[in-house]
Every structure is written in structure tokens, then in C-alpha cells.
Amino acid sequence: MYAGSLVGPTATLIKAERYISNVERVARIVGAWLAVLATGVFTEFALRYNTGWSFLAVPLGLLGAYKLESSAFEAAEVV
């Protein structure tokens, strides 16, 4: 389901929103959990084998998890 705003005689689209379904919300929350899990696994291997990539794994993984988790609780998505 979409909601939008139109203006003018030619009906120019200003903004459209797509409502997020419950299934998509659950998928985003599960994706956030998987991102955190993958971050932990990658960090463990990076520290165990001294690859030097562990300093990037934690911030990037947690940032990805935060974005997925916060987007799951939005009322609608602007398209």
C-alpha cells in the first residue's frame, strides 16, 4: 500500500511512502541479528589469525545492524 502527495495540473509526485509489512519488519530484525552474529564470527577469526581487519569488523557490523534494526520500526519508507 502506498500513500503519496501530488501537486499541480500535471500531478507531479512530491513524495510517496510505502508502508512496511510485518513480514518485512521481522526480516529486518532477523537481518540485524545475523549482522551482529557475522560481526562476532569475523572478529573472532580476524583476531585469532592476526589479519589486522578486526578494527573494521566491529564498527561496520554494528552500524549495519543498527540501520537494519532502526528501519524495522519506521512507520513507512519513502520511495
Side-chain angles (χ1 to χ4, degrees), residues 58-73:
V58 175
L60 290 177
L62 294 179
L63 179 67
Y66 170 75
K67 294 302 273 181
L68 280 169
E69 189 73 31
S70 63
S71 70
F73 295 104

Side-chain angles (χ1 to χ4, degrees), residues 36-58:
V36 169
L37 226 119
T39 300
V41 168
F42 184 76
T43 303
E44 176 67 28
F45 282 115
L47 290 174
R48 181 175 293 185
Y49 299 113
N50 295 324
T51 60
W53 290 97
S54 60
F55 70 94
L56 277 177
V58 175

